[in-house]
Amino acid sequence: MDESPYDSELLLQELLAHHPDLLAGEQMNGDAPRRWLLVTREMAVPDSEQGSGKWSLDHLFIDQDAVPTLVEVKRSSDLRIRREVVGQMLDYAANAVAYWPIEQIRTRFELRCEAEGAEPDEMLEEFLGESDDPESFWKRVKTNLQAGRVRLVFLADVIPSELRRVVEFLNGQMDPAEVLAIEVKQFVGSGMKTIVPRLLGQTETARQKKASSTQPSRQWDATSFLERLRERRGDDPVDVARKCLEWAHERELYIWWGRGAVDGAFIPSLRDEHGKSILFGVWTYGRLELQFQHMNRRPFRDIARRRELADRLQQIPGIDIPDDRLTKRPTFDLAVLQEPDALQTFFNAFDWMLAESRNTTFAQ
């Protein structure tokens, strides 16, 4: 088979969108190969807080550790690949870290899924498996962005030596950001076509330095969760969280435990052969997050039924849920539920929700 050039840069971009493995995740980390979730192509990058988008990034991916990965694609015939593309990518990264709201990233992912006829939650859950839940994942993406923990990738059919030297230098100097280049050669012959990616720019020194500075995730459980909550907020929120956990266990709900490096969560959900509906999440920093956005099981797919649940919850002083939050994840402090009457009203509201969900299923 002979090496063959790509017909166009657009073709190379489309190949990457449909085959994310071209990002050579196993070459980046042999012990834990990187897996890729495509957020979108042509991601707008603003140059101010209110900016709509001065530039357009070729591809935005996120790996399984919630690290945003900015990819710029060029052909070797494009002279900009030797110098201009470096400044371009640094512009993207500097402004993305400063001005990309996580809501925009999440919305672009959802729009991309919908355009392809896919369900965003199902696609994300398939990507994450049992290792994470969607809410915790997006929070980690936000945390990584705020910390500048991003990955910049230059992808081309041929990486010029000038670009490779710059990438190696930047990757050695930038921390926690990572800068890499991937050469994707195409070979054609005998009626066959093979595409071979090769990672460049990751020196052993840089790899070890970044590995040592990366904070590992942890698997939370009831004991570690309550200890962390007590450290951060004291005894009163711990009592509320413990009772929420006991309530969920008594109703035989599925409990998902987070894997955040710093903060954890437990998230009860109703799961059986009829579907799934996530109820709420409790976090180690002392807040409770209502999961309206993920109440996907009948009858609470209906906004009117969500409004009924919200009205029951709003009987608790300190909880306000406007209509525009019925498709989102409104939060409030656990202190709101410290009074016994408030906590009982909260449990009554979700007992009603569970009964309605099960009765609707049985009636079908």
Side-chain angles (χ1 to χ4, degrees):
M1 301 180 75
D2 298 318
E3 186 177 341
S4 175
Y6 294 92
D7 293 335
S8 68
E9 184 178 298
L10 179 60
L11 175 60
L12 189 52
Q13 291 182 4
E14 290 175 348
L15 280 170
L16 177 59
H18 291 101
H19 303 283
D21 287 346
L22 291 177
L23 288 176
E26 75 287 349
Q27 297 179 41
M28 292 183 189
N29 189 330
D31 295 329
R34 300 296 84 194
R35 295 185 290 105
W36 309 105
L37 180 74
L38 175 63
V39 174
T40 190
R41 293 176 60 183
E42 303 300 329
M43 180 70 180
V45 182
D47 63 346
S48 65
E49 191 149 352
Q50 303 301 322
S52 59
K54 180 177 181 179
W55 303 283
S56 181
L57 174 71
D58 286 342
H59 299 77
L60 175 61
F61 289 89
I62 303 173
D63 74 7
Q64 71 266 37
D65 290 334
V67 175
T69 300
L70 291 67
V71 182
E72 194 66 13
V73 178
K74 290 285 186 290
R75 282 200 303 168
S76 56
S77 57
D78 188 338
L79 296 180
R80 292 175 299 172
I81 197 173
R82 282 161 172 79
R83 181 172 297 178
E84 185 178 331
V85 70
V86 175
Q88 182 182 35
M89 181 68 94
L90 293 177
D91 268 339
Y92 293 171
N95 287 278
V97 166
Y99 303 124
W100 262 351
I102 190 61
E103 294 79 11
Q104 179 186 355
I105 295 175
R106 189 168 183 169
T107 297
R108 288 301 303 270
F109 168 70
E110 292 170 350
L111 290 174
R112 197 266 298 176
C113 292
E114 292 168 4
E116 296 175 4
E119 172 57 45
D121 288 342
E122 291 179 3
M123 183 172 288
L124 186 55
E125 288 177 3
E126 181 180 351
F127 173 73
L128 296 173
E130 292 296 321
S131 65
D132 208 345
D133 82 300
E135 298 310 313
S136 178
F137 178 75
W138 290 117
K139 287 180 184 295
R140 290 168 62 204
V141 173
K142 179 179 180 179
T143 298
N144 284 333
L145 267 177
Q146 291 174 337
R149 189 173 294 110
V150 297
R151 182 181 294 110
L152 315 181
V153 177
F154 302 93
L155 187 142
D157 53 340
V158 177
I159 300 295
S161 58
E162 302 97 319
L163 177 59
R164 178 172 179 170
R165 286 194 297 272
V166 171
V167 167
E168 290 178 350
F169 174 77
L170 291 175
N171 197 39
Q173 299 300 314
M174 296 177 68
D175 189 17
E178 188 173 22
V179 185
L180 301 169
I182 298 175
E183 195 171 71
V184 183
K185 291 185 178 293
Q186 177 179 246
F187 298 89
V188 178
S190 304
M192 299 177 63
K193 180 186 296 184
T194 299
I195 299 173
V196 181
R198 182 167 69 111
L199 181 68
L200 302 170
Q202 188 185 52
T203 64
E204 184 61 20
T205 300
R207 189 192 68 79
Q208 292 182 1
K209 177 182 177 182
K210 294 176 193 298
S212 65
S213 66
T214 300
Q215 194 168 25
S217 61
R218 63 182 294 183
Q219 178 61 66
W220 295 86
D221 57 21
T223 300
S224 59
F225 177 93
L226 295 173
E227 287 177 352
R228 179 63 170 159
L229 178 58
R230 179 176 286 107
E231 289 173 2
R232 298 197 62 172
R233 297 293 306 274
D235 290 333
D236 289 341
V238 169
D239 185 55
V240 174
R242 182 183 291 110
K243 289 177 180 177
C244 287
L245 190 57
E246 291 171 354
W247 174 89
H249 281 307
E250 288 170 359
R251 283 143 186 84
E252 299 182 338
L253 299 176
Y254 176 87
I255 306 294
W256 179 89
W257 290 98
R259 293 181 59 87
V262 177
D263 283 300
F266 69 83
I267 301 177
S269 63
L270 174 62
R271 298 189 183 189
D272 57 27
E273 67 275 15
H274 301 293
K276 179 179 75 172
S277 192
I278 301 175
L279 279 62
F280 56 85
V282 182
W283 292 84
T284 51
Y285 46 77
R287 294 190 70 80
L288 188 146
E289 187 174 67
L290 300 170
Q291 298 287 322
F292 285 111
Q293 187 171 10
H294 298 291
M295 293 179 182
N296 298 321
R297 178 169 164 157
R298 298 183 65 183
F300 290 93
R301 290 184 229 164
D302 187 341
I303 292 294
R305 300 309 302 274
R306 295 184 193 180
R307 181 72 267 168
E308 290 183 56
L309 175 60
D311 288 343
R312 291 170 181 266
L313 292 169
Q314 286 184 143
Q315 295 175 24
I316 302 170
I319 296 182
D320 178 36
I321 308 170
D323 287 345
D324 64 358
R325 302 297 294 170
L326 294 176
T327 57
K328 296 181 172 59
R329 302 172 303 282
T331 69
F332 56 86
D333 197 281
L334 285 175
V336 170
L337 301 180
Q338 282 180 204
E339 293 298 325
D341 289 346
L343 188 58
Q344 188 59 55
T345 301
F346 178 80
F347 290 152
N348 290 344
F350 278 102
D351 279 331
W352 171 81
M353 178 197 174
L354 292 174
E356 291 293 302
S357 297
R358 288 167 171 150
N359 289 339
T360 299
T361 298
F362 296 151
Q364 293 175 343

